[in-house]
Amino acid sequence: MILPLGVNPSQCHPDTRKSLRGRIIQWGMNDGSSERMFWVLGPPAVGKSAIAQTIAKEFNEKERLGASFFFSRPNHLNDPDQVIPTPVCQLATKSLRYRYIVTKRLVEDPLVLDKNRHVQFKKLIIEPFRKLMTEYPQILHEPLLILLGGLDECKDKQAQCEPTDLISTHVRQADKFPLRWIIFSHPEWYRSGAARQVPDSI
């Protein structure tokens, strides 16, 4: 689902942020919805970063945060090549079963991190969790949240679209999966065509 926050900072009031956080938490904790991708759009200074950080903290406290990655030019966190390895490392600290699978995969194919992001996404995130879902179907009832923030601050303009394209393609193709995804970005980036592969049902 896509949720715009408003066209200027004054339109994102505290009550709006509180309502949004509640909605995200309910969805992320598995409200029974089949939608596994949540996209929050808003211009600068409406509070996207604050909401994202609060969501990450609350899900971490509930032990349901799989990973979070915030692009930030001022903090030199704007390399698109980190958008897969960073969540993989964080996920490995949260799930011993996942860690075993992904470690084995890295041993068998140590060059996988040199491959393109599409291959990394498939080999290091999707396939390991698909295996876990098959072996331990109960994990579907407590999905982990993957949070990506500030995609518009990625230094490679073309690469800004890639994570959303990968995720939206995946959620269209998989009826069920033990991960839920939330993205925070500017609406200008969305209007530029980056959302071309977002599911029509959103």
Side-chain angles (χ1 to χ4, degrees):
M1 64 186 76
I2 297 176
L3 184 66
L5 281 180
V7 296
N8 62 60
S10 65
Q11 288 185 300
C12 189
H13 298 292
D15 286 345
T16 301
R17 293 193 290 269
K18 183 177 180 180
S19 175
L20 174 59
R21 289 200 306 270
R23 184 176 175 186
I24 291 172
I25 291 170
Q26 183 180 17
W27 163 81
M29 295 298 289
N30 193 7
D31 61 356
S33 171
S34 62
E35 295 172 331
R36 285 176 287 107
M37 180 179 177
F38 204 115
W39 200 348
V40 180
L41 297 170
V46 297
K48 295 189 307 299
S49 295
I51 294 172
Q53 291 168 5
T54 299
I55 293 299
K57 179 181 178 181
E58 292 189 27
F59 273 81
N60 187 53
E61 290 173 350
K62 298 176 185 295
E63 298 186 351
R64 295 287 290 278
L65 180 68
S68 62
F69 186 84
F70 294 88
F71 282 98
S72 172
R73 290 193 188 100
N75 294 321
H76 306 291
L77 297 173
N78 58 352
D79 185 353
D81 288 336
Q82 296 302 312
V83 75
I84 303 299
T86 300
V88 166
C89 288
Q90 293 179 23
L91 285 165
T93 68
K94 301 294 176 66
S95 170
L96 291 176
R97 291 166 176 164
Y98 169 78
R99 185 193 308 175
Y100 174 80
I101 295 172
V102 80
T103 300
K104 185 172 184 291
R105 182 147 298 184
L106 288 168
V107 170
E108 294 173 346
D109 184 6
L111 297 180
V112 67
L113 290 174
D114 294 328
K115 297 178 180 178
N116 64 55
R117 286 180 286 274
H118 174 80
V119 172
Q120 291 180 29
F121 183 72
K122 178 181 178 181
K123 297 293 184 180
L124 298 178
I125 296 180
I126 301 305
E127 289 184 354
F129 273 97
R130 185 177 292 136
K131 179 177 176 62
L132 286 174
M133 180 179 67
T134 301
E135 296 177 351
Y136 308 98
Q138 63 270 26
I139 66 174
L140 288 168
H141 301 298
E142 295 186 350
L144 293 174
L145 183 74
I146 310 295
L147 187 153
L148 301 178
L151 292 187
D152 33 83
E153 295 203 20
C154 175
K155 66 181 179 181
D156 185 331
K157 294 295 183 182
Q158 185 175 358
Q160 290 178 6
C161 306
E162 194 169 22
T164 305
D165 287 349
L166 290 171
I167 295 167
S168 59
T169 298
H170 161 66
V171 299
R172 281 203 312 272
Q173 295 174 346
D175 293 334
K176 53 187 177 180
F177 206 72
L179 296 178
R180 294 200 168 196
W181 314 81
I182 184 164
I183 297 170
F184 292 80
S185 68
H186 292 176
E188 290 79 7
W189 176 64
Y190 165 71
R191 295 186 189 117
S192 71
R196 62 188 178 276
Q197 293 193 39
V198 173
D200 296 336
S201 62
I202 291 179

